[in-house]
Amino acid sequence: GLSILVGWLDTGYISFYLYEFNAYGFYPLLYAFSGILGFLTFALLGKKLIQKSKEHDMFTMADYFYNLFSFRTGVIISFANLLLMFLWVTMLFLVGGKLLSSTTDISLNTASFLILVFALPYILLGGFRAVLGTDVLQASLIIICFLLLFFSIGDLNNINLLPPKTVSAFNLEQVLFALFSIFSWVLLSGDVWQRIHAVKNVNHLRGGFVIASILNILFPLSIAFLAWNYLTPSSPDPLFDLLNEGLATS
C-alpha cells in the first residue's frame, strides 16, 4: 500500500496539493477521494485480475488488454499509458529541477538534466525491486521532513486547522474534474497495474489498496495543514516557499 501511493508522492504531487489547498481550502480533498475510488475498484477486481494475469502470464496493463481483447486494444492502452507517464515524468523533472536550481546556483535546464541522469540508471538497471526500494526511502524522507516542519511550528496555540477565509470554492467543472481525473489516472496507471501483477495473493492486494486509500487521505491532509500554517494565500511557488519558511522557523 505504501509503495502504491509513494510512487506518486513526489515533488509534483506535493506542489500540486500545496497550491490547491492554499487556494481552495478543503475542496482539493475531492482529488483524494477520486483516487480512493480507483484504489477500491482495484481491490474489488483484484481476484479476477490476479487469476487472469497468471493464466496468460501477464505482467503489465498492456499485456492484460492485449490477451483479453485484441492487439489493437493493447497498443492503444500502451500509447495512453506511455503518454500519461511521459507527462508525469516530465513534470517531475521540471519541478525537481526548479527546486534544485532555486536552492543552488545551477540553472533550471542543468538541474533537470542532472535529476534525469541520476534517476534513469537505477530504474533501468535495478528494475522493479529498485523502484520499491526507492519508494521506501522516499516515503521515509518525506515523512521525516513533514514531522520536522510540524514540530518547527512551535506554538501550538497558533496552529491553523482550517483554511483561511480568503480561499475560493470549486465551481461545477472543477468538482467534476476532481472526481473523475484521479480515478481515471489510477485505472490507467502502469505503476498500479505492475504492482497488481507482482502481488503474492488477493489478500495482500486488497490490504495494499486499503492502506493506499488511508494514506491517500492522510498525506493530503498533512499537506493541507502545512499549506494553511506556512504559506500566504498568494504564494506563487508553494513548495519553495514551504521549504524556506520551514528552514526559517527551525
Side-chain angles (χ1 to χ4, degrees), residues 15-141:
S15 295
F16 170 78
Y17 269 122
L18 280 174
Y19 174 83
E20 290 289 310
F21 281 121
N22 197 36
Y24 298 105
F26 283 108
Y27 282 93
L29 285 176
L30 292 173
Y31 288 104
F33 287 117
S34 178
I36 289 174
L37 288 176
F39 292 146
L40 295 182
T41 298
F42 276 122
L44 293 174
L45 299 177
K47 183 177 181 179
K48 181 178 179 180
L49 291 175
I50 291 176
Q51 289 176 344
K52 293 294 183 181
S53 66
K54 291 181 177 180
E55 289 176 5
H56 299 276
D57 197 25
M58 297 181 295
F59 298 97
T60 66
M61 176 175 59
D63 289 341
Y64 185 87
F65 285 92
Y66 169 75
N67 281 283
L68 297 186
F69 296 97
S70 67
F71 175 77
R72 178 179 296 179
T73 305
V75 171
I76 293 173
I77 294 297
S78 297
F79 178 77
N81 186 55
L82 182 62
L83 179 61
L84 287 175
M85 292 305 298
F86 174 78
L87 294 174
W88 182 256
V89 171
T90 300
M91 181 187 67
L92 295 185
F93 288 142
L94 291 177
V95 174
K98 184 175 182 180
L99 183 61
L100 181 60
S101 65
S102 300
T103 54
T104 64
D105 295 328
I106 304 174
S107 68
L108 174 60
N109 291 337
T110 303
S112 300
F113 179 74
L114 287 175
I115 292 176
L116 173 66
V117 169
F118 281 105
L120 282 182
Y122 79 79
I123 295 176
L124 297 177
L125 300 177
F128 189 57
R129 186 178 298 274
V131 172
L132 293 179
T134 54
D135 282 348
V136 174
L137 177 61
Q138 179 177 313
S140 302
L141 291 175

Side-chain angles (χ1 to χ4, degrees), residues 221-237:
L221 283 176
S222 300
I223 296 172
F225 178 81
L226 294 175
W228 299 336
N229 284 277
Y230 280 102
L231 301 179
T232 60
S234 59
S235 177
D237 197 339

